[in-house]
Amino acid sequence: MTGPGTARGGPGRLSGWARDLGLGIRIAATGGRQGRLRTALTAIGVGLGVALLLAAASIPSLLDGRQQRDAARSLTAPDGGHRPVHRSDHSFVHATVDTTFRGDAVGGTLLRPDGPHAPAPPGVATYPGPGRMVVSPALAALLKSPEGALLRGRLPYRTVGTIARDGLLGPGELRYYAGSATLTTANGGHRADHFGPGTAGVPPEPVNPVLRLVVAVAFVVLLLPVAVFIATAARFGGDRRDRRLAALRLVGADRGTTHRIAAGEVLFGAVAGLVVGALLFLAARPFAGSVTIWNVDVFPADVTPSPGLAVLVALAVPVCAVGVTLLALRGVVIEPLGVVRGGAARRRRLWWRVALPPLGLALLLPAMTGGALDDPVHAYQAAAGALLVLLGLAALLPWLVGAVVARLGRGPVSWQLAVRGLQADGGAAARTVGGITVAVAGAIALQMLFGAIQADFTRMTGKDSDRAQLTATATATGRDDARRMADRFAATTGVRQVAATLEAWARRPGPPRDGETFAPITSFSVGDCATLVRLAAVRSCRDGEVFTVLTGDDREQDAYVRRTARPGADVLLGGDDDARGRRWRLPAGTRTVVARPDPHGEKHFGIFATPGAVRSVPLPEMRAQAVIEVDPRLPDAAEYVRNTAARISPMIRIGTVEDTERDKRYTSVRHGVFAAATATMMLIAAGLLVAVLEQLRERKRQLAVLVAFGIRRGTLGWSVLWQTAVPVVLGLALATAGGMGLGAVLLRVVREPVADWWVFAPMSGVGAVVVALVTLVSLPVLWRVMRPDGLRTE
């Protein structure tokens, strides 16, 4: 009797293989209700993974789109300064008037065109007229909402248009362009003749080697669980498939033929999964703009997979699915009269599972023991090492589950049922939680890495936020500007105290003297006694006095102050030469005091004059600066201060006094990794739910039989819970040990000590919560499969 796949010879053998694959495809597509359901579950499981892989493949185009739009709207010259542009009908004057509203950045630009041909900003059709503005859709929605009422007082412009996508980084960006009739280069504006590309000709900022390593490891940590889940989805319905293959042996199919038929079945499911994944990706893509994760949002059009990566996904997923299936069949003996699983007669080999993590650590050894950390090879070695360690954990879990459940003791009926089920097929349960194990282990390693290196990307600013929380800076046009600004801020809701000064430069008249390369120069400040007491160690002060303020710890700087500010001698205020400077003579009774750090942590040194001392002195152009202390009990105190500043002048810069400052690139990487980790965990949860439902479907008959024999439904429910909980507990324990070990090794690579050994707790908790939620959602299906109609068969 001639069965499938018995052809011999080159072309005949190839045609036989094709016929066997085609038979497997037909079985998967038309194999009855159970076959179609099995194929659907495989397609859904694979599709979820493919959708996330396509999202990951979109990262290059997403970043490129944001960078291009950011460069296109830039007004910065290639050298980092403002372009020297002469006035013409193609030029315009601009000024940056960014602000912050309740922690969110609001980008603003004032514009005044010099002529009718001045180019409009990207995403803007025409220039807004004076007193009008065009806003981003997100800002328009905020201004219309009740929460935006406070912000509306800061933007005294009428909205006349919306900024299109070409002018925004993301759909949630808060940005506006406002027209001004008074903006000039003399009052803070800058002239330009076109927008962007502002980064042309600028060499890219070198990537921090530690961040490069973190990104490389993060890609492995975030994408490997997806690959593990796809491999698990490819083995859905393995028991029924093996019984079908045993039936094919009765009609003459040999072992190789059954393997090729199985490959055809899973190939159809994988290809269907590619289609499902593409459809899920396309269906979710329009909603990408409405989702913000860790302050990251994107336009749907930017979420476009790179063609090369998309092709790689399309080829790798079917190959991975077929390869996993063929490897699984090596442990199964399929005979014409039945199936004998290798799990009972052949123990799982431990040596290669245990060998993977040490191999991964061996790859990290050169980076641990020395070498330049900025070598890009270290990043690739770290990624490859992390890959092997996590693969080793995934491979070790089935062996660990089998070894532990074989030694589990007695207990209630639900416990015995769960243990017996795990002893019969613990590998399937281990594969189900394999994705969770890998994801949690990788997350623990990343959290340890981020927790240890954040100190390197966070610096102490030396500022004291207990003394003041905000600063205001503006160009002064008169000697009373600082006082008026202080009075306006002092009358603002939530403000406790304000200290304001006028600041300029003062230098010694005349040419440099012997040993000097230039005439000595120092700062010149005007402020009242209340302000001076906060900035210098002054025991007594009255209006009309002048002080020479020394740093007290910088001898070179103090020498400049002493040579410039000599009691009874003249100084030049402002200007860069004798002709432009304003000559003023220091009083002979000028006292010398030592500076105190201000809330910024800076020392104001040089010449400090009270307003009465310079009342008749023609002052040069100066800078008005105010230090503001607000009431911490009023949440929106800072917003009221910004509103007051906008009413005084839109050119006033409001800064915050922060005790620490974090590197922006580090913050961007951290937010991106956590956003991707959130998406990965959501995928694992969805995939785990599909896997649990598939297992319940496979065990429907056994559960229905047990109910028919009088076993209570509650007992069976607890047995299913125990059967899920045991592999989960073992998986989380393995993930904790492996993740902390990998994290400790990675910290050795970046030469950092372990900052927190308890970082595993929240990550393990997240994994446990995910499994608990999946189990809870699957309970309705469990009650349904235990009905008597579960005894029905085809």
Side-chain angles (χ1 to χ4, degrees), residues 234-246:
R235 299 182 65 176
F236 285 171
D239 294 345
R240 292 176 180 268
R241 179 201 61 209
D242 295 343
R243 288 195 292 271
R244 286 193 309 276
L245 296 178

Side-chain angles (χ1 to χ4, degrees), residues 709-741:
F709 273 91
I711 302 295
R712 291 184 300 176
R713 292 174 179 267
T715 301
L716 292 179
W718 279 106
S719 73
V720 171
L721 178 61
W722 292 129
Q723 195 163 344
T724 304
V726 170
V728 167
V729 171
L730 295 176
L732 292 180
L734 186 62
T736 299
M740 295 185 67

Side-chain angles (χ1 to χ4, degrees), residues 437-456:
T437 301
V438 173
V440 171
I444 290 173
L446 279 180
Q447 284 282 26
M448 291 181 66
L449 199 55
F450 274 118
I453 68 174
Q454 67 177 353
D456 294 339

Side-chain angles (χ1 to χ4, degrees), residues 369-380:
T369 55
L373 190 59
D374 57 358
D375 188 350
V377 174
H378 287 338
Y380 301 122

Side-chain angles (χ1 to χ4, degrees), residues 506-507 509 564-565 569-573 582-586 607:
R507 66 185 185 87
T564 306
D570 289 348
V571 294
L572 290 174
L573 304 179
R582 313 287 179 91
R583 189 177 291 265
W584 175 57
R585 177 164 294 181
L586 268 70
I607 303 168

Side-chain angles (χ1 to χ4, degrees), residues 124-144:
V124 178
T126 59
Y127 272 86
R132 293 170 171 82
M133 67 177 176
V134 290
V135 299
S136 65
L139 181 57
L142 177 60
L143 292 175
K144 293 178 182 178

Side-chain angles (χ1 to χ4, degrees), residues 355-382:
L356 286 177
L359 285 176
L361 298 179
L363 283 177
L364 294 169
L365 188 62
M368 292 171 54
T369 55
L373 190 59
D374 57 358
D375 188 350
V377 174
H378 287 338
Y380 301 122
Q381 284 182 324

Side-chain angles (χ1 to χ4, degrees), residues 685-704:
L688 187 60
L689 177 61
V690 175
V692 170
L693 296 180
E694 191 274 341
Q695 287 185 1
L696 292 177
R697 187 185 65 86
E698 287 283 335
R699 298 170 56 201
K700 179 174 65 173
R701 177 178 294 275
Q702 295 93 320
L703 293 172

